[in-house]
PDB file of all heavy atoms in Angstrom:
ATOM      1  N   LEU A   1      94.664-165.893 -56.923  1.00  0.00           N
ATOM      2  CA  LEU A   1      93.771-165.486 -55.824  1.00  0.00           C
ATOM      3  C   LEU A   1      93.331-166.688 -55.002  1.00  0.00           C
ATOM      4  O   LEU A   1      93.225-166.607 -53.775  1.00  0.00           O
ATOM      5  CB  LEU A   1      92.553-164.760 -56.382  1.00  0.00           C
ATOM      6  CG  LEU A   1      92.768-163.398 -57.022  1.00  0.00           C
ATOM      7  CD1 LEU A   1      91.492-162.914 -57.724  1.00  0.00           C
ATOM      8  CD2 LEU A   1      93.195-162.382 -55.972  1.00  0.00           C
ATOM      9  N   GLY A   2      93.056-167.803 -55.645  1.00  0.00           N
ATOM     10  CA  GLY A   2      92.385-168.925 -54.982  1.00  0.00           C
ATOM     11  C   GLY A   2      93.302-170.003 -54.449  1.00  0.00           C
ATOM     12  O   GLY A   2      92.890-170.787 -53.571  1.00  0.00           O
ATOM     13  N   SER A   3      94.518-170.124 -54.945  1.00  0.00           N
ATOM     14  CA  SER A   3      95.401-171.192 -54.514  1.00  0.00           C
ATOM     15  C   SER A   3      95.765-171.026 -53.023  1.00  0.00           C
ATOM     16  O   SER A   3      96.251-169.968 -52.611  1.00  0.00           O
ATOM     17  CB  SER A   3      96.664-171.230 -55.345  1.00  0.00           C
ATOM     18  OG  SER A   3      97.607-172.149 -54.823  1.00  0.00           O
ATOM     19  N   GLY A   4      95.570-172.077 -52.268  1.00  0.00           N
ATOM     20  CA  GLY A   4      95.940-172.021 -50.859  1.00  0.00           C
ATOM     21  C   GLY A   4      97.394-172.221 -50.624  1.00  0.00           C
ATOM     22  O   GLY A   4      97.939-171.849 -49.566  1.00  0.00           O
ATOM     23  N   MET A   5      98.107-172.863 -51.597  1.00  0.00           N
ATOM     24  CA  MET A   5      99.528-173.184 -51.442  1.00  0.00           C
ATOM     25  C   MET A   5     100.437-172.211 -52.131  1.00  0.00           C
ATOM     26  O   MET A   5     101.567-171.967 -51.676  1.00  0.00           O
ATOM     27  CB  MET A   5      99.795-174.607 -51.982  1.00  0.00           C
ATOM     28  CG  MET A   5      98.861-175.669 -51.413  1.00  0.00           C
ATOM     29  SD  MET A   5      99.150-176.019 -49.702  1.00  0.00           S
ATOM     30  CE  MET A   5     100.666-176.938 -49.787  1.00  0.00           C
ATOM     31  N   ARG A   6      99.984-171.632 -53.253  1.00  0.00           N
ATOM     32  CA  ARG A   6     100.872-170.745 -54.046  1.00  0.00           C
ATOM     33  C   ARG A   6     100.205-169.425 -54.415  1.00  0.00           C
ATOM     34  O   ARG A   6     100.629-168.722 -55.305  1.00  0.00           O
ATOM     35  CB  ARG A   6     101.317-171.472 -55.312  1.00  0.00           C
ATOM     36  CG  ARG A   6     102.294-172.587 -55.029  1.00  0.00           C
ATOM     37  CD  ARG A   6     102.680-173.349 -56.284  1.00  0.00           C
ATOM     38  NE  ARG A   6     101.600-174.242 -56.699  1.00  0.00           N
ATOM     39  CZ  ARG A   6     101.755-175.164 -57.680  1.00  0.00           C
ATOM     40  NH1 ARG A   6     102.881-175.260 -58.320  1.00  0.00           N
ATOM     41  NH2 ARG A   6     100.742-175.944 -58.010  1.00  0.00           N
ATOM     42  N   GLY A   7      99.110-169.102 -53.714  1.00  0.00           N
ATOM     43  CA  GLY A   7      98.401-167.859 -53.994  1.00  0.00           C
ATOM     44  C   GLY A   7      97.928-167.213 -52.696  1.00  0.00           C
ATOM     45  O   GLY A   7      98.517-167.415 -51.637  1.00  0.00           O
ATOM     46  N   LEU A   8      96.839-166.460 -52.802  1.00  0.00           N
ATOM     47  CA  LEU A   8      96.321-165.727 -51.648  1.00  0.00           C
ATOM     48  C   LEU A   8      95.340-166.558 -50.813  1.00  0.00           C
ATOM     49  O   LEU A   8      94.914-166.109 -49.744  1.00  0.00           O
ATOM     50  CB  LEU A   8      95.645-164.427 -52.084  1.00  0.00           C
ATOM     51  CG  LEU A   8      96.524-163.454 -52.872  1.00  0.00           C
ATOM     52  CD1 LEU A   8      95.775-162.146 -53.108  1.00  0.00           C
ATOM     53  CD2 LEU A   8      97.849-163.199 -52.187  1.00  0.00           C
ATOM     54  N   GLY A   9      94.961-167.742 -51.335  1.00  0.00           N
ATOM     55  CA  GLY A   9      94.147-168.654 -50.544  1.00  0.00           C
ATOM     56  C   GLY A   9      92.718-168.196 -50.296  1.00  0.00           C
ATOM     57  O   GLY A   9      92.084-168.649 -49.335  1.00  0.00           O
ATOM     58  N   ILE A  10      92.172-167.360 -51.199  1.00  0.00           N
ATOM     59  CA  ILE A  10      90.792-166.910 -50.999  1.00  0.00           C
ATOM     60  C   ILE A  10      89.834-168.080 -51.234  1.00  0.00           C
ATOM     61  O   ILE A  10      89.828-168.692 -52.317  1.00  0.00           O
ATOM     62  CB  ILE A  10      90.465-165.750 -51.952  1.00  0.00           C
ATOM     63  CG1 ILE A  10      91.321-164.540 -51.615  1.00  0.00           C
ATOM     64  CG2 ILE A  10      88.977-165.395 -51.901  1.00  0.00           C
ATOM     65  CD1 ILE A  10      91.158-163.378 -52.573  1.00  0.00           C
ATOM     66  N   GLY A  11      89.056-168.445 -50.263  1.00  0.00           N
ATOM     67  CA  GLY A  11      88.125-169.546 -50.364  1.00  0.00           C
ATOM     68  C   GLY A  11      88.728-170.924 -50.173  1.00  0.00           C
ATOM     69  O   GLY A  11      87.995-171.921 -50.171  1.00  0.00           O
ATOM     70  N   ALA A  12      90.031-171.017 -50.013  1.00  0.00           N
ATOM     71  CA  ALA A  12      90.676-172.333 -49.879  1.00  0.00           C
ATOM     72  C   ALA A  12      90.400-172.883 -48.463  1.00  0.00           C
ATOM     73  O   ALA A  12      90.474-172.167 -47.477  1.00  0.00           O
ATOM     74  CB  ALA A  12      92.166-172.205 -50.091  1.00  0.00           C
ATOM     75  N   ILE A  13      90.057-174.158 -48.406  1.00  0.00           N
ATOM     76  CA  ILE A  13      89.794-174.842 -47.133  1.00  0.00           C
ATOM     77  C   ILE A  13      90.589-176.131 -47.082  1.00  0.00           C
ATOM     78  O   ILE A  13      91.147-176.591 -48.093  1.00  0.00           O
ATOM     79  CB  ILE A  13      88.285-175.144 -46.950  1.00  0.00           C
ATOM     80  CG1 ILE A  13      87.777-176.024 -48.084  1.00  0.00           C
ATOM     81  CG2 ILE A  13      87.489-173.847 -46.873  1.00  0.00           C
ATOM     82  CD1 ILE A  13      86.339-176.479 -47.904  1.00  0.00           C
ATOM     83  N   THR A  14      90.639-176.728 -45.910  1.00  0.00           N
ATOM     84  CA  THR A  14      91.374-177.967 -45.743  1.00  0.00           C
ATOM     85  C   THR A  14      90.626-178.909 -44.825  1.00  0.00           C
ATOM     86  O   THR A  14      89.906-178.476 -43.920  1.00  0.00           O
ATOM     87  CB  THR A  14      92.771-177.718 -45.178  1.00  0.00           C
ATOM     88  OG1 THR A  14      93.504-178.957 -45.066  1.00  0.00           O
ATOM     89  CG2 THR A  14      92.706-177.059 -43.791  1.00  0.00           C
ATOM     90  N   LEU A  15      90.801-180.202 -45.072  1.00  0.00           N
ATOM     91  CA  LEU A  15      90.264-181.235 -44.184  1.00  0.00           C
ATOM     92  C   LEU A  15      91.405-182.079 -43.602  1.00  0.00           C
ATOM     93  O   LEU A  15      91.210-183.234 -43.280  1.00  0.00           O
ATOM     94  CB  LEU A  15      89.285-182.142 -44.959  1.00  0.00           C
ATOM     95  CG  LEU A  15      88.041-181.428 -45.547  1.00  0.00           C
ATOM     96  CD1 LEU A  15      87.197-182.401 -46.331  1.00  0.00           C
ATOM     97  CD2 LEU A  15      87.224-180.809 -44.431  1.00  0.00           C
ATOM     98  N   ASP A  16      92.544-181.465 -43.489  1.00  0.00           N
ATOM     99  CA  ASP A  16      93.769-182.144 -43.041  1.00  0.00           C
ATOM    100  C   ASP A  16      94.294-181.408 -41.812  1.00  0.00           C
ATOM    101  O   ASP A  16      94.639-180.227 -41.877  1.00  0.00           O
ATOM    102  CB  ASP A  16      94.786-182.114 -44.180  1.00  0.00           C
ATOM    103  CG  ASP A  16      96.082-182.856 -43.831  1.00  0.00           C
ATOM    104  OD1 ASP A  16      96.244-183.297 -42.676  1.00  0.00           O
ATOM    105  OD2 ASP A  16      96.922-182.975 -44.716  1.00  0.00           O
ATOM    106  N   TRP A  17      94.380-182.122 -40.685  1.00  0.00           N
ATOM    107  CA  TRP A  17      94.849-181.495 -39.451  1.00  0.00           C
ATOM    108  C   TRP A  17      96.290-180.974 -39.583  1.00  0.00           C
ATOM    109  O   TRP A  17      96.648-179.994 -38.960  1.00  0.00           O
ATOM    110  CB  TRP A  17      94.746-182.480 -38.282  1.00  0.00           C
ATOM    111  CG  TRP A  17      95.310-181.949 -37.007  1.00  0.00           C
ATOM    112  CD1 TRP A  17      96.434-182.374 -36.364  1.00  0.00           C
ATOM    113  CD2 TRP A  17      94.776-180.889 -36.199  1.00  0.00           C
ATOM    114  NE1 TRP A  17      96.658-181.652 -35.217  1.00  0.00           N
ATOM    115  CE2 TRP A  17      95.651-180.733 -35.093  1.00  0.00           C
ATOM    116  CE3 TRP A  17      93.679-180.065 -36.300  1.00  0.00           C
ATOM    117  CZ2 TRP A  17      95.447-179.784 -34.075  1.00  0.00           C
ATOM    118  CZ3 TRP A  17      93.459-179.116 -35.299  1.00  0.00           C
ATOM    119  CH2 TRP A  17      94.333-178.984 -34.213  1.00  0.00           C
ATOM    120  N   THR A  18      97.117-181.646 -40.391  1.00  0.00           N
ATOM    121  CA  THR A  18      98.501-181.178 -40.527  1.00  0.00           C
ATOM    122  C   THR A  18      98.532-179.781 -41.124  1.00  0.00           C
ATOM    123  O   THR A  18      99.401-178.962 -40.797  1.00  0.00           O
ATOM    124  CB  THR A  18      99.345-182.131 -41.372  1.00  0.00           C
ATOM    125  OG1 THR A  18      98.808-182.208 -42.692  1.00  0.00           O
ATOM    126  CG2 THR A  18      99.386-183.515 -40.759  1.00  0.00           C
ATOM    127  N   ALA A  19      97.600-179.485 -42.062  1.00  0.00           N
ATOM    128  CA  ALA A  19      97.576-178.144 -42.650  1.00  0.00           C
ATOM    129  C   ALA A  19      97.109-177.096 -41.650  1.00  0.00           C
ATOM    130  O   ALA A  19      97.480-175.923 -41.728  1.00  0.00           O
ATOM    131  CB  ALA A  19      96.634-178.132 -43.865  1.00  0.00           C
ATOM    132  N   ILE A  20      96.310-177.517 -40.668  1.00  0.00           N
ATOM    133  CA  ILE A  20      95.823-176.609 -39.663  1.00  0.00           C
ATOM    134  C   ILE A  20      96.888-176.308 -38.625  1.00  0.00           C
ATOM    135  O   ILE A  20      97.106-175.174 -38.220  1.00  0.00           O
ATOM    136  CB  ILE A  20      94.560-177.184 -38.966  1.00  0.00           C
ATOM    137  CG1 ILE A  20      93.431-177.357 -39.987  1.00  0.00           C
ATOM    138  CG2 ILE A  20      94.105-176.305 -37.808  1.00  0.00           C
ATOM    139  CD1 ILE A  20      92.236-178.133 -39.460  1.00  0.00           C
ATOM    140  N   ALA A  21      97.571-177.362 -38.173  1.00  0.00           N
ATOM    141  CA  ALA A  21      98.472-177.225 -37.033  1.00  0.00           C
ATOM    142  C   ALA A  21      99.939-177.047 -37.419  1.00  0.00           C
ATOM    143  O   ALA A  21     100.752-176.754 -36.553  1.00  0.00           O
ATOM    144  CB  ALA A  21      98.334-178.447 -36.128  1.00  0.00           C
ATOM    145  N   SER A  22     100.294-177.234 -38.697  1.00  0.00           N
ATOM    146  CA  SER A  22     101.694-177.108 -39.065  1.00  0.00           C
ATOM    147  C   SER A  22     102.109-175.640 -39.030  1.00  0.00           C
ATOM    148  O   SER A  22     101.288-174.731 -39.150  1.00  0.00           O
ATOM    149  CB  SER A  22     101.924-177.666 -40.497  1.00  0.00           C
ATOM    150  OG  SER A  22     101.086-177.021 -41.429  1.00  0.00           O
ATOM    151  N   PHE A  23     103.403-175.410 -38.812  1.00  0.00           N
ATOM    152  CA  PHE A  23     104.028-174.087 -38.788  1.00  0.00           C
ATOM    153  C   PHE A  23     103.627-173.261 -37.577  1.00  0.00           C
ATOM    154  O   PHE A  23     104.471-172.847 -36.797  1.00  0.00           O
ATOM    155  CB  PHE A  23     103.725-173.311 -40.072  1.00  0.00           C
ATOM    156  CG  PHE A  23     104.192-174.009 -41.312  1.00  0.00           C
ATOM    157  CD1 PHE A  23     103.261-174.523 -42.228  1.00  0.00           C
ATOM    158  CD2 PHE A  23     105.524-174.191 -41.594  1.00  0.00           C
ATOM    159  CE1 PHE A  23     103.687-175.157 -43.377  1.00  0.00           C
ATOM    160  CE2 PHE A  23     105.972-174.852 -42.732  1.00  0.00           C
ATOM    161  CZ  PHE A  23     105.036-175.341 -43.622  1.00  0.00           C
ATOM    162  N   LEU A  24     102.321-172.998 -37.390  1.00  0.00           N
ATOM    163  CA  LEU A  24     101.885-172.124 -36.302  1.00  0.00           C
ATOM    164  C   LEU A  24     101.559-172.908 -35.029  1.00  0.00           C
ATOM    165  O   LEU A  24     101.250-172.291 -34.021  1.00  0.00           O
ATOM    166  CB  LEU A  24     100.649-171.329 -36.726  1.00  0.00           C
ATOM    167  CG  LEU A  24     100.883-170.308 -37.842  1.00  0.00           C
ATOM    168  CD1 LEU A  24      99.538-169.819 -38.387  1.00  0.00           C
ATOM    169  CD2 LEU A  24     101.685-169.153 -37.351  1.00  0.00           C
ATOM    170  N   GLY A  25     101.603-174.225 -35.102  1.00  0.00           N
ATOM    171  CA  GLY A  25     101.224-175.009 -33.931  1.00  0.00           C
ATOM    172  C   GLY A  25      99.726-175.155 -33.828  1.00  0.00           C
ATOM    173  O   GLY A  25      98.953-174.625 -34.629  1.00  0.00           O
ATOM    174  N   SER A  26      99.289-175.884 -32.843  1.00  0.00           N
ATOM    175  CA  SER A  26      97.848-176.143 -32.683  1.00  0.00           C
ATOM    176  C   SER A  26      97.103-174.853 -32.363  1.00  0.00           C
ATOM    177  O   SER A  26      97.456-174.148 -31.409  1.00  0.00           O
ATOM    178  CB  SER A  26      97.614-177.174 -31.594  1.00  0.00           C
ATOM    179  OG  SER A  26      96.220-177.270 -31.306  1.00  0.00           O
ATOM    180  N   PRO A  27      96.052-174.518 -33.089  1.00  0.00           N
ATOM    181  CA  PRO A  27      95.282-173.317 -32.780  1.00  0.00           C
ATOM    182  C   PRO A  27      94.491-173.450 -31.478  1.00  0.00           C
ATOM    183  O   PRO A  27      94.037-172.448 -30.926  1.00  0.00           O
ATOM    184  CB  PRO A  27      94.333-173.185 -33.983  1.00  0.00           C
ATOM    185  CG  PRO A  27      94.200-174.571 -34.527  1.00  0.00           C
ATOM    186  CD  PRO A  27      95.523-175.219 -34.279  1.00  0.00           C
ATOM    187  N   LEU A  28      94.306-174.684 -30.984  1.00  0.00           N
ATOM    188  CA  LEU A  28      93.585-174.861 -29.750  1.00  0.00           C
ATOM    189  C   LEU A  28      94.373-174.369 -28.539  1.00  0.00           C
ATOM    190  O   LEU A  28      93.785-174.145 -27.478  1.00  0.00           O
ATOM    191  CB  LEU A  28      93.250-176.350 -29.558  1.00  0.00           C
ATOM    192  CG  LEU A  28      92.000-176.886 -30.283  1.00  0.00           C
ATOM    193  CD1 LEU A  28      92.161-176.857 -31.780  1.00  0.00           C
ATOM    194  CD2 LEU A  28      91.650-178.280 -29.822  1.00  0.00           C
ATOM    195  N   VAL A  29      95.678-174.222 -28.710  1.00  0.00           N
ATOM    196  CA  VAL A  29      96.513-173.821 -27.580  1.00  0.00           C
ATOM    197  C   VAL A  29      96.685-172.311 -27.517  1.00  0.00           C
ATOM    198  O   VAL A  29      97.020-171.753 -26.463  1.00  0.00           O
ATOM    199  CB  VAL A  29      97.897-174.526 -27.692  1.00  0.00           C
ATOM    200  CG1 VAL A  29      98.841-174.103 -26.577  1.00  0.00           C
ATOM    201  CG2 VAL A  29      97.712-176.036 -27.708  1.00  0.00           C
ATOM    202  N   SER A  30      96.443-171.598 -28.621  1.00  0.00           N
ATOM    203  CA  SER A  30      96.649-170.155 -28.661  1.00  0.00           C
ATOM    204  C   SER A  30      95.405-169.424 -28.178  1.00  0.00           C
ATOM    205  O   SER A  30      94.302-169.711 -28.604  1.00  0.00           O
ATOM    206  CB  SER A  30      96.975-169.708 -30.104  1.00  0.00           C
ATOM    207  OG  SER A  30      98.166-170.305 -30.547  1.00  0.00           O
ATOM    208  N   PRO A  31      95.571-168.430 -27.301  1.00  0.00           N
ATOM    209  CA  PRO A  31      94.406-167.683 -26.832  1.00  0.00           C
ATOM    210  C   PRO A  31      93.796-166.846 -27.942  1.00  0.00           C
ATOM    211  O   PRO A  31      94.479-166.477 -28.901  1.00  0.00           O
ATOM    212  CB  PRO A  31      94.982-166.783 -25.707  1.00  0.00           C
ATOM    213  CG  PRO A  31      96.448-166.701 -26.025  1.00  0.00           C
ATOM    214  CD  PRO A  31      96.826-167.999 -26.658  1.00  0.00           C
ATOM    215  N   PHE A  32      92.510-166.535 -27.798  1.00  0.00           N
ATOM    216  CA  PHE A  32      91.783-165.878 -28.881  1.00  0.00           C
ATOM    217  C   PHE A  32      92.345-164.504 -29.227  1.00  0.00           C
ATOM    218  O   PHE A  32      92.392-164.123 -30.400  1.00  0.00           O
ATOM    219  CB  PHE A  32      90.318-165.788 -28.510  1.00  0.00           C
ATOM    220  CG  PHE A  32      89.475-165.118 -29.576  1.00  0.00           C
ATOM    221  CD1 PHE A  32      89.364-165.692 -30.850  1.00  0.00           C
ATOM    222  CD2 PHE A  32      88.798-163.944 -29.311  1.00  0.00           C
ATOM    223  CE1 PHE A  32      88.589-165.074 -31.822  1.00  0.00           C
ATOM    224  CE2 PHE A  32      88.029-163.328 -30.293  1.00  0.00           C
ATOM    225  CZ  PHE A  32      87.923-163.898 -31.550  1.00  0.00           C
ATOM    226  N   PHE A  33      92.769-163.720 -28.209  1.00  0.00           N
ATOM    227  CA  PHE A  33      93.281-162.394 -28.531  1.00  0.00           C
ATOM    228  C   PHE A  33      94.569-162.493 -29.366  1.00  0.00           C
ATOM    229  O   PHE A  33      94.819-161.656 -30.241  1.00  0.00           O
ATOM    230  CB  PHE A  33      93.542-161.594 -27.257  1.00  0.00           C
ATOM    231  CG  PHE A  33      94.770-161.986 -26.469  1.00  0.00           C
ATOM    232  CD1 PHE A  33      95.998-161.432 -26.750  1.00  0.00           C
ATOM    233  CD2 PHE A  33      94.659-162.925 -25.442  1.00  0.00           C
ATOM    234  CE1 PHE A  33      97.116-161.790 -26.033  1.00  0.00           C
ATOM    235  CE2 PHE A  33      95.775-163.266 -24.710  1.00  0.00           C
ATOM    236  CZ  PHE A  33      97.021-162.707 -25.010  1.00  0.00           C
ATOM    237  N   ALA A  34      95.361-163.552 -29.145  1.00  0.00           N
ATOM    238  CA  ALA A  34      96.558-163.745 -29.952  1.00  0.00           C
ATOM    239  C   ALA A  34      96.190-164.118 -31.379  1.00  0.00           C
ATOM    240  O   ALA A  34      96.786-163.649 -32.344  1.00  0.00           O
ATOM    241  CB  ALA A  34      97.436-164.821 -29.338  1.00  0.00           C
ATOM    242  N   ILE A  35      95.145-164.928 -31.531  1.00  0.00           N
ATOM    243  CA  ILE A  35      94.671-165.312 -32.857  1.00  0.00           C
ATOM    244  C   ILE A  35      94.181-164.087 -33.607  1.00  0.00           C
ATOM    245  O   ILE A  35      94.484-163.913 -34.813  1.00  0.00           O
ATOM    246  CB  ILE A  35      93.543-166.360 -32.730  1.00  0.00           C
ATOM    247  CG1 ILE A  35      94.095-167.668 -32.171  1.00  0.00           C
ATOM    248  CG2 ILE A  35      92.866-166.605 -34.092  1.00  0.00           C
ATOM    249  CD1 ILE A  35      93.046-168.702 -31.851  1.00  0.00           C
ATOM    250  N   MET A  36      93.475-163.178 -32.925  1.00  0.00           N
ATOM    251  CA  MET A  36      92.970-161.989 -33.595  1.00  0.00           C
ATOM    252  C   MET A  36      94.112-161.017 -33.962  1.00  0.00           C
ATOM    253  O   MET A  36      94.064-160.363 -35.011  1.00  0.00           O
ATOM    254  CB  MET A  36      91.958-161.267 -32.670  1.00  0.00           C
ATOM    255  CG  MET A  36      90.632-161.964 -32.583  1.00  0.00           C
ATOM    256  SD  MET A  36      89.742-162.046 -34.185  1.00  0.00           S
ATOM    257  CE  MET A  36      90.208-163.689 -34.764  1.00  0.00           C
ATOM    258  N   ASN A  37      95.136-160.956 -33.137  1.00  0.00           N
ATOM    259  CA  ASN A  37      96.312-160.130 -33.490  1.00  0.00           C
ATOM    260  C   ASN A  37      96.991-160.672 -34.762  1.00  0.00           C
ATOM    261  O   ASN A  37      97.374-159.925 -35.651  1.00  0.00           O
ATOM    262  CB  ASN A  37      97.303-160.115 -32.321  1.00  0.00           C
ATOM    263  CG  ASN A  37      97.038-158.991 -31.350  1.00  0.00           C
ATOM    264  OD1 ASN A  37      96.756-157.868 -31.739  1.00  0.00           O
ATOM    265  ND2 ASN A  37      97.093-159.299 -30.066  1.00  0.00           N
ATOM    266  N   VAL A  38      97.132-161.988 -34.800  1.00  0.00           N
ATOM    267  CA  VAL A  38      97.741-162.609 -35.982  1.00  0.00           C
ATOM    268  C   VAL A  38      96.850-162.365 -37.202  1.00  0.00           C
ATOM    269  O   VAL A  38      97.327-162.055 -38.296  1.00  0.00           O
ATOM    270  CB  VAL A  38      97.953-164.117 -35.758  1.00  0.00           C
ATOM    271  CG1 VAL A  38      98.352-164.820 -37.070  1.00  0.00           C
ATOM    272  CG2 VAL A  38      99.017-164.343 -34.717  1.00  0.00           C
ATOM    273  N   PHE A  39      95.534-162.526 -37.039  1.00  0.00           N
ATOM    274  CA  PHE A  39      94.605-162.314 -38.143  1.00  0.00           C
ATOM    275  C   PHE A  39      94.693-160.891 -38.676  1.00  0.00           C
ATOM    276  O   PHE A  39      94.706-160.664 -39.900  1.00  0.00           O
ATOM    277  CB  PHE A  39      93.181-162.618 -37.688  1.00  0.00           C
ATOM    278  CG  PHE A  39      92.131-162.247 -38.734  1.00  0.00           C
ATOM    279  CD1 PHE A  39      92.080-162.921 -39.944  1.00  0.00           C
ATOM    280  CD2 PHE A  39      91.246-161.208 -38.476  1.00  0.00           C
ATOM    281  CE1 PHE A  39      91.123-162.550 -40.906  1.00  0.00           C
ATOM    282  CE2 PHE A  39      90.307-160.854 -39.423  1.00  0.00           C
ATOM    283  CZ  PHE A  39      90.237-161.533 -40.640  1.00  0.00           C
ATOM    284  N   ALA A  40      94.784-159.906 -37.771  1.00  0.00           N
ATOM    285  CA  ALA A  40      94.837-158.496 -38.216  1.00  0.00           C
ATOM    286  C   ALA A  40      96.097-158.262 -39.053  1.00  0.00           C
ATOM    287  O   ALA A  40      96.027-157.666 -40.130  1.00  0.00           O
ATOM    288  CB  ALA A  40      94.826-157.596 -36.999  1.00  0.00           C
ATOM    289  N   GLY A  41      97.254-158.735 -38.556  1.00  0.00           N
ATOM    290  CA  GLY A  41      98.466-158.548 -39.316  1.00  0.00           C
ATOM    291  C   GLY A  41      98.498-159.320 -40.614  1.00  0.00           C
ATOM    292  O   GLY A  41      98.955-158.831 -41.654  1.00  0.00           O
TER     293      GLY A  41
END
């Protein structure tokens, strides 16, 4: 439940920008409605 790398990531946080921006790209560039669509799915 808690593992951010090999589980569901419940409560997992990061202080590393690479973990924030890797794979999905920078979240600062994505509009909020797109972020909410991704969050819903």
